[in-house]
Every structure is written in structure tokens, then in C-alpha cells.
């Protein structure tokens, strides 16, 4: 059974479109994260939720909106996609909000044309 | 300057060699993490440590809190160890991880 799953794995879309990436974890963890990995492979935190409550909101454009319907799911919606949004987006989870061992999803490779 | 610095950026070794990857950080931390990103893109957590040393198979991670430095060692390296190794720190009092830029390791047969 996959611990942290993301869909879709690949997403190719045009500038200006709106898209969503879904993440689910079956580890019973309380905290989930969205990370962005840029073309230089640099990882950076975007958001973190603990028990459906937003606890980290980095300086991310407000076109990005996370939603956590329950503690096992954290989705990422992106409005008005821009070329610079092209990256790999990783979802992760950990047991505690003070970052414990991170369990990563497989990543979603987003390409904006 | 990034809060987390890794060296070297790239490392090429021959199979069987002993590998060391270094990580220095400039902030107070609650814990330090070592991650491995496979060529296919998947990321796996290798270690989380806040003091001393941890060992898992051929991998050893050490941390010196006073010197704000950690090392990841790989003994008897193998081509399947080829990956990007990423150091990340949990900043004291914060819930977020700050990442280094990674060290790309290539082990040739």
C-alpha cells in the first residue's frame, strides 16, 4: 500500500488555466506538507497543515490555495497558472508538526506551456 | 547565503569507495534530516538526528551541534547509491524544514 500518494503524476497545461493536485496519506499522520522543487532541484516548503489547520504559509502567491478536507488529505489548487509555476510538487506527511521524519509522495511534475 | 550549505555539490566515486557528504547550517535547530532523492525523482528520508550518530546499513550520519555541522557517510559505495543527497534542518521553534541544495553522488562500477 502506498503511504503517501499524489495525483496526477504529470500535468501539462497552458498558461492561465486552473489545476489541482491531490494528496492522500494512509499513515495516520497529523501533519501534511506541500513542497516545490524548482528546476535546480531546490526544495522549498509551501504549506503545512496540522489536523486540517494551516500552520505554515510561506511567501507563496495567493494563486496557490491548499485545502485539507480531513487530516489524511491535502490538496493544492493553482489558479491562473504561470510559466514559473513549472516545477515538481511534492506532498509529504509526518507524525508531528515539529518536523519529524518526512514521508514523501512520488511528486507531481507540472509543466506550464 | 543559504541557511543550509552542503558540500560538495557533485561527487563522483568508484564502487567500493568511502563517501562523505557534509552539511553546515547557521541557525538553531531542533533536528537535522538527511534525504535521498533517486534518479527517478522519489524522495526517501534516511535519517533524522539531533545529536550524536545514527547508522543504518552502510549509511552513517553524524552531527556536531556545537560546530553546526553534520556528515553523511556511505561505506563500500555501490552504483545503486547514486542519487542526490539532501540535508534539511528543522529550525528551533519552527514547524518547517529548510533544505540544502543537495549533493549529487555518482558511483561508477
Amino acid at each position: 500500500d502506498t503511504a503517501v500518494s499524489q495525483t496526477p503524476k504529470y500535468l501539462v497545461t497552458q498558461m492561465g488555466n486552473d489545476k489541482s493536485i491531490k494528496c492522500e496519506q494512509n499513515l495516520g499522520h497529523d501533519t501534511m506538507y506541500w513542497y516545490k522543487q524548482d528546476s535546480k532541484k531546490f526544495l522549498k516548503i509551501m504549506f503545512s497543515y496540522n489536523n486540517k489547520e494551516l500552520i505554515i504559509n510561506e511567501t507563496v502567491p495567493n494563486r496557490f490555495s491548499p485545502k485539507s478536507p480531513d487530516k489524511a488529505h491535502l490538496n493544492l489548487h493553482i489558479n491562473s497558472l504561470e510559466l514559473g509555476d513549472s516545477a515538481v510538487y511534492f506532498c509529504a506527511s509526518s507524525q508531528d508538526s515539529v518536523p519529524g521524519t518526512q514521508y514523501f509522495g512520488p511528486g507531481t511534475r507540472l509543466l506550464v506551456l | 547565503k543559504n541557511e543550509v550549505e552542503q558540500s560538495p555539490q557533485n561527487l563522483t566515486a568508484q564502487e567500493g569507495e568511502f563517501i562523505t557528504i557534509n552539511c553546515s547550517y547557521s541557525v538553531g535547530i531542533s533536528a537535522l534530516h538527511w534525504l535521498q532523492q533517486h534518479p527517478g525523482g522519489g524522495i526517501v528520508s534516511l535519517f533524522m538526528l539531533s545529536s550524536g550518530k545514527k547508522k543504518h546499513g552502510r549509511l552513517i550520519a553524524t552531527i556536531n551541534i556545537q560546530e553546526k555541522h553534520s556528515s553523511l557517510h556511505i561505506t563500500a559505495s555501490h552504483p545503486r547509491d547514486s542519487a542526490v543527497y539532501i540535508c534539511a534542518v528543522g529550525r528551533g521553534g519552527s514547524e518547517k524544514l529548510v533544505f540544502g541544495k543537495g549533493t549529487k553522488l555518482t558511483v561508477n562500477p
Side-chain angles (χ1 to χ4, degrees), chain A residues 38-93:
Chain A
D38 61 23
S39 57
K40 295 184 179 177
K41 303 289 188 183
F42 189 49
L43 273 165
K44 197 165 182 188
I45 182 79
M46 298 175 70
F47 301 103
S48 174
Y49 271 73
N50 179 261
N51 275 317
K52 302 195 300 175
E53 184 181 335
L54 181 67
I55 57 170
I56 296 174
N57 185 352
E58 287 294 285
T59 49
V60 175
N62 58 15
R63 297 181 295 102
F64 290 78
S65 53
K67 283 190 173 54
S68 182
D70 56 62
K71 75 173 195 176
H73 296 85
L74 180 61
N75 304 321
L76 183 65
H77 189 75
I78 316 170
N79 288 327
S80 304
L81 278 155
E82 300 178 357
L83 293 176
D85 298 332
S86 297
V88 182
Y89 293 85
F90 286 96
C91 176
S93 71

Side-chain angles (χ1 to χ4, degrees), chain B residues 43-94:
Chain B
I43 300 176
V44 174
S45 180
L46 297 175
F47 295 104
M48 183 180 76
L49 65 166
S50 54
S51 65
K53 177 177 168 179
K54 285 191 176 180
K55 185 174 190 289
H56 181 70
R58 293 180 295 106
L59 273 59
I60 304 165
T62 64
I63 188 168
N64 184 318
I65 297 294
Q66 286 74 29
E67 294 186 4
K68 293 189 171 152
H69 181 268
S70 174
S71 293
L72 176 68
H73 304 287
I74 306 174
T75 62
S77 59
H78 190 275
R80 65 174 174 265
D81 298 325
S82 297
V84 175
Y85 292 84
I86 302 168
C87 173
V89 300
R91 297 179 67 189
S94 167

